Amino acid sequence: MLYINLLRYFLQYCKGMINLCQFKYFNEKVVPLRVSLKPFTLLLNMNKKIITFIIAIVSICGASVANAQFRWGASLGINFNDFKFKQDGILTVDKGFGESAGVHGEMMFPGIGFGLDLGLRYEQLGATFNLGDFEMWESQGYGNERIYIHNIQIPFHLKFKYTRFQGFEDYLAPFVYGGPTFNIQVGHGKCDAMKFSGGDLGLTAGVGAEIFKRWQVSASYTWGMTYALKAKVLTDYSAKNRTWDVRVSYFF
């Protein structure tokens, strides 16, 4: 019952954040999307090596799974996002800030320092497309369009935390992590020039530190592996996310 209530509150929070963004950014129209399983299919088709690597790590740690230490907490973050198009010279992009919040889970295997970093969170990504600076777009009535994407994000990362400091790890413990991140688009800003994918897959690498065993501060970079949006009037002109994240988590 506790987990059902947490999920209900999380979904209500996501809905509230989308409504807030709709009011905040000049009554931007948020267009709901059907939830797409495409990122999961693409992961299976394009990133089999990642899956094999994770399965191998989990298998190696199999003897310790019964003693794995799992905990969860709350997470807040900000991001700085860019959209990387396949070809330059057709439009320019001004990077934008966004925010995220959600549930952060950690499962560590005792004695080896390895574990899994999991989560379920809402994340808003944004940027400005300077369509009005190019004649082909301006002639169709487009100006500088502010783009927002509202995602439900599911990270699935391998984590290594160094804790052999002879007791000092109770105060400070560095860690690194990396792996696939799934984005499921639940809404986006209205821009008739673009078609949104419904979801995308990214590859994340990050570093951080655990403070007093409760707080974790981390920074990461995510390379989009599949496209997040593409132009309607051009053939195969798509963009992938390039995102910096800074995040603070508190574990209960």
Side-chain angles (χ1 to χ4, degrees):
M1 182 62 68
L2 174 62
Y3 296 106
I4 294 175
N5 289 333
L6 287 173
L7 181 59
R8 182 184 297 115
Y9 295 147
F10 177 73
L11 293 176
Q12 289 175 351
Y13 171 82
C14 293
K15 181 179 179 181
M17 287 298 296
I18 293 175
N19 291 335
L20 176 62
C21 294
Q22 180 179 1
F23 172 79
K24 181 179 178 182
Y25 300 103
F26 306 100
N27 290 324
E28 175 199 19
K29 182 177 179 182
V30 177
V31 181
L33 291 176
R34 294 181 178 178
V35 174
S36 173
L37 296 179
K38 185 175 181 180
F40 300 93
T41 303
L42 290 170
L43 175 66
L44 294 174
N45 292 335
M46 301 178 60
N47 295 274
K48 293 181 179 179
K49 291 183 179 179
I50 296 175
I51 296 176
T52 303
F53 179 66
I54 292 175
I55 292 175
I57 293 296
V58 173
S59 299
I60 292 173
C61 301
S64 302
V65 169
N67 298 319
Q69 299 171 352
F70 178 80
R71 58 179 181 162
W72 64 278
S75 176
L76 291 172
I78 58 173
N79 63 67
F80 188 56
N81 188 66
D82 189 16
F83 289 97
K84 181 65 175 178
F85 281 90
K86 287 186 173 182
Q87 182 180 347
D88 296 328
I90 297 180
L91 64 82
T92 57
V93 179
D94 292 338
K95 303 176 183 65
F97 288 94
E99 61 273 340
S100 66
V103 178
H104 187 178
E106 180 188 77
M107 184 170 66
M108 300 300 295
F109 303 105
I112 61 174
F114 281 97
L116 297 176
D117 208 47
L118 313 169
L120 177 66
R121 55 184 176 244
Y122 162 82
E123 182 164 65
Q124 176 195 275
L125 301 176
T128 299
F129 289 2
N130 299 313
L131 301 177
D133 295 343
F134 296 85
E135 185 177 353
M136 67 166 291
W137 301 107
E138 185 181 22
S139 63
Q140 300 178 54
Y142 296 113
N144 293 342
E145 305 288 337
R146 185 65 175 171
I147 303 296
Y148 291 100
I149 297 179
H150 306 281
N151 287 330
I152 297 297
Q153 190 173 83
I154 306 173
F156 189 84
H157 301 153
L158 180 66
K159 188 174 192 176
F160 176 76
K161 186 191 304 181
Y162 190 78
T163 57
R164 298 184 179 182
F165 286 122
Q166 298 181 347
F168 186 72
E169 65 272 10
D170 292 343
Y171 305 98
L172 183 69
F175 58 82
V176 295
Y177 60 95
T181 300
F182 305 94
N183 288 315
I184 302 174
Q185 294 177 7
V186 295
H188 58 77
K190 182 175 175 58
C191 181
D192 293 334
M194 298 293 159
K195 179 181 178 181
F196 295 82
S197 66
D200 66 285
L201 171 69
L203 186 62
T204 300
V207 298
E210 182 174 285
I211 305 170
F212 300 118
K213 287 192 171 183
R214 293 284 187 179
W215 296 91
Q216 287 189 0
V217 180
S218 63
S220 65
Y221 186 77
T222 300
W223 294 265
M225 298 288 104
T226 62
Y227 82 92
L229 52 80
K230 62 182 179 180
K232 291 182 179 179
V233 297
L234 298 174
T235 302
D236 199 28
Y237 187 63
S238 60
K240 300 176 181 178
N241 285 311
R242 296 288 188 269
T243 309
W244 286 99
D245 280 283
V246 176
R247 203 174 309 280
V248 178
S249 300
Y250 178 80
F251 288 93
F252 304 116

